[in-house]
Amino acid sequence: MLPEWVTRKCPEISVAHRDAAIARQTQLTKPTGALGRLEQLAIELAGLQATERPRAARVPIIIFAGDHGIVSQGVSAYPQAVTIAMMANFASGGAAISVLARELGSSLEVVDAGTLAQEAMPDIVTDKPCPGTRDFSVEAALTPTELAFAFEAGQRAVVRAKADQPDLLIFGEMGIGNTTTSAAIAASLLGVAAEEIAGHGTGVDAAGRAHKARVIDAAIARHGVAGAAPERILCAVGGLEIAAISGAIIAAAQARIPVLIDGFIVSVAALAAVRLNPSCQPFLLPSHQSAEQGHRLVLRALNVLPLISLDLRLGEGSGAAIALPLVRSACGLHNDMATFAQANVPDRPS
């Protein structure tokens, strides 16, 4: 049973602030609509943040890491030891998301939400109910108690981030095998065959992708979770870092903090979050469409349009971090451009 707060309603969009932002856009020194989706992004943020001047300056990045028992079925091109090694790489500043966080001036927190690490690691927040999930091809990945703990871990990460009064949040993930887990969750939530969802992940070949799809389909049939309730799906085939992200997304939305959604895995966590609490959906800002095969279907199910498409498939929150300067540009243009009256530029005839 998930905690009661998971289904608590998120704040409404501030219609007054959204309308004020729309009115301001009509007065800026440019043709109406000339900045395309950047205009809509600024308007959307104004309504979500309940301000006439939307902001994207303070954007902490939180990475959740977890290990997956399904790796024992040969679904990944990399060994499971990479998860822990990459956590250390994040903390020491050598990973892609570490570089991007420095470039953006964003803080970076790494949470061990369920890896095989036996001891606490330097500069890593340890907040896990168990060391990794079980092999969902033979048994349920998580117990209800473990799933609830993961959601609470996501909420706790948001509580820590709130101390810095963030304008937005970015969530990323690390976990060898988690594209298989995400594909299993997405296929179950969407009621489609794994062939439509499962991609190449860390770089498996065509035969490896076909094997991954067969493993997923068999597991979904074994557990009987096609089209089932999200909690049941997450227990059967879920991942601890994915569940933690779902919890973090809901907790952020409840605190009126928009979330810049990363690629396939985070989008699957977002889909699970929306199925559990539909009122969090407006707070999802999709950053990019990844090269992972199923991402397009998940974005369509979320009814969102990504800002960029660069064939990324790294994860770690990297796609969201790369898209953040566009969000900052949208806010800067909205807030700092002169109006026709301020610049003494003739407006359109009324």
Side-chain angles (χ1 to χ4, degrees):
M1 195 74 175
L2 289 174
E4 174 275 333
W5 63 264
V6 169
T7 55
R8 193 179 305 146
K9 190 170 173 57
C10 301
E12 300 280 351
I13 294 172
S14 172
V15 175
H17 289 99
R18 184 193 62 194
D19 289 349
I22 292 171
R24 176 170 174 78
Q25 281 287 335
T26 65
Q27 294 302 311
L28 298 179
T29 48
K30 59 176 178 57
T32 300
L35 288 171
R37 291 186 58 207
L38 294 183
E39 296 184 17
Q40 293 304 313
L41 180 56
I43 292 166
E44 186 178 354
L45 270 176
L48 294 172
Q49 295 176 336
T51 178
E52 292 182 24
R53 302 299 178 95
R55 306 169 304 273
R58 296 187 298 273
V59 186
I61 301 170
I62 305 171
I63 307 299
F64 297 90
D67 275 309
H68 298 259
I70 195 64
V71 168
S72 65
Q73 299 301 317
V75 294
S76 175
Y78 285 85
Q80 203 158 28
V82 170
T83 303
I84 297 173
M86 281 302 299
M87 277 203 302
N89 194 27
F90 294 144
S92 66
I97 193 59
S98 309
V99 174
L100 290 167
R102 289 195 296 272
E103 290 288 321
L104 296 167
S106 293
S107 63
L108 177 64
E109 177 178 277
V110 182
V111 179
D112 179 352
T115 75
L116 294 174
Q118 296 299 307
E119 298 178 352
M121 297 172 62
D123 301 315
I124 304 291
V125 176
T126 301
D127 195 1
K128 60 185 177 183
C130 57
T133 60
R134 300 164 190 85
D135 179 355
F136 67 67
S137 71
V138 296
E139 61 182 318
L142 296 166
T143 68
T145 300
E146 290 162 349
L147 180 66
F149 188 106
F151 269 74
E152 298 276 17
Q155 184 192 48
R156 285 189 285 269
V158 171
V159 169
R160 291 191 297 272
K162 281 169 60 179
D164 293 328
Q165 298 182 306
D167 301 318
L168 306 171
L169 285 170
I170 290 174
F171 302 128
E173 43 59 43
M174 177 63 214
I176 295 301
N178 66 6
T179 58
T180 300
T181 298
S182 297
I185 296 169
S188 300
L189 287 171
L190 298 177
V192 300
E195 174 63 28
E196 296 186 48
I197 295 286
H200 292 279
T202 51
V204 296
D205 59 16
R209 191 184 77 81
H211 170 66
K212 181 193 293 191
R214 287 193 297 272
V215 168
I216 292 168
D217 282 335
I220 291 172
R222 178 188 182 93
H223 297 294
V225 290
E231 305 99 303
R232 193 164 156 235
I233 291 169
L234 289 170
C235 281
V237 298
L240 288 163
E241 81 279 33
I242 298 166
I245 293 170
S246 294
I249 287 169
I250 293 171
Q254 289 171 337
R256 199 182 276 282
I257 305 170
V259 179
L260 192 56
I261 299 296
D262 192 45
F264 176 59
I265 295 158
V266 175
S267 295
V268 170
L271 181 60
V274 169
R275 293 289 178 89
L276 287 164
N277 188 336
S279 69
C280 75
Q281 200 278 339
F283 288 87
L284 308 181
L285 305 176
S287 62
H288 76 114
Q289 180 174 311
S290 77
E292 192 67 10
Q293 176 173 313
H295 196 198
R296 175 180 52 83
L297 295 179
V298 175
L299 291 172
R300 183 187 300 166
L302 287 168
N303 194 30
V304 293
L305 186 64
L307 290 171
I308 58 175
S309 180
L310 297 175
D311 292 333
L312 304 173
R313 56 181 182 87
L314 176 60
E316 303 179 7
S318 57
I322 288 167
L324 178 58
L326 286 176
V327 182
R328 288 177 169 170
S329 294
C331 293
L333 290 163
H334 181 85
N335 297 335
D336 299 333
M337 279 183 70
T339 64
F340 285 103
Q342 289 170 333
N344 198 26
V345 173
D347 197 353
R348 298 162 293 265
S350 56

